Amino acid sequence: MTRPTRVLPVLLLAPVLLTACGSEKAGADPASGTSVRTAEAAGQGELDARAQALGVAPELVHVTEAPGFTLARQSVGVLGDDGFSATWVSRETGAHLRLSVDRGSITAATCPEQPVGDMPGERTSCERDGDAWYRTGAGRHEYAVPGRGHVVRVSGELDAVPRDVLRGAALAAHRPDDAEAAALLPSAEPVPGAPVERGDLPPAGDGAPDNNVDVGG
């Protein structure tokens, strides 16, 4: 199956995951705060918990790479009900690649009906390219790669991201290994086990203000 590339929002750049040439493993950047050793130590259960804490189905989490693009870690999040979305940013031009994965399918019949870049009401043109679909509409273009019960999409602005970069990123999209997933997904917040006790409440009563005031008070 062919693989897509990334696209979309303008977010703070956080170093992490993929390098300009795509030769380093995710998590190798010391500035990311996640060492390779830490990433490799993360078990599958922990990684699944991280995805679920975002509301994302673990099996829909994907990563990709493109020359000159770096993951904007703040962009990682849920798409729709339990899909996945993340954005990579060009350090040189500021262009965005958005990678999104959601449940569903795409065929010759349904491709024109599905908007590019979540822009409803816009006309979509579709062109078959191997196992993928090259799609344009609303000033954006996208590669959509159907999978088993889901579609991987990589999109960007027509005038900012060349088609060959988009295609390469789409073909490079894949399920992350443990190190990549640990660098990609934020740590799951601990769930409180019991209510926090406050020390500023009286030992008796409900802690409401005392309204028993004198006349005129």
Side-chain angles (χ1 to χ4, degrees), residues 23 52 80 91 148 157 162 171 175 184 186 210:
S23 60
Q52 290 164 353
R91 294 188 295 271
R148 294 184 177 181
E157 294 185 357
L171 296 178
R175 294 276 293 119
L184 174 71
D210 185 358

Side-chain angles (χ1 to χ4, degrees), residues 12-192:
L12 288 173
L13 264 134
V16 123
L17 215 35
L18 309 163
T19 66
C21 61
S23 60
E24 293 182 347
K25 277 290 186 185
D29 187 342
S32 70
T34 304
S35 68
V36 174
R37 180 176 299 177
T38 301
E40 290 175 347
Q44 189 59 49
E46 177 189 345
L47 299 177
D48 287 355
R50 292 187 186 192
Q52 290 164 353
L54 293 174
V56 176
E59 66 272 17
L60 297 182
V61 176
H62 282 64
V63 294
T64 188
E65 59 187 26
F69 284 80
T70 301
L71 174 72
R73 197 173 187 186
Q74 296 91 334
S75 70
V76 176
V78 65
L79 172 67
D81 292 333
D82 62 355
F84 176 77
S85 178
T87 297
W88 279 257
V89 182
S90 168
R91 294 188 295 271
E92 182 178 351
T93 68
H96 294 81
L97 279 179
R98 184 190 183 208
L99 167 67
S100 60
V101 187
D102 207 358
R103 301 188 190 279
S105 61
I106 186 167
T107 65
T110 63
C111 182
E113 302 170 358
Q114 301 180 26
V116 176
D118 304 324
M119 297 291 290
E122 297 288 342
R123 180 177 178 180
T124 300
S125 298
C126 299
E127 174 188 330
R128 191 73 179 183
D129 188 345
D131 294 332
W133 291 96
Y134 175 66
R135 295 153 37 80
T136 59
R140 300 185 64 80
H141 58 162
E142 169 187 280
Y143 265 90
V145 183
R148 294 184 177 181
H150 66 269
V151 179
V152 177
R153 306 172 191 268
V154 180
S155 61
E157 294 185 357
L158 267 169
D159 59 355
V161 181
R163 177 173 172 174
D164 61 329
V165 173
L166 201 66
R167 186 176 188 274
L171 296 178
H174 61 277
R175 294 276 293 119
D177 61 25
D178 287 353
E180 290 172 321
L184 174 71
L185 301 171
S187 298
E189 292 294 329
V191 179

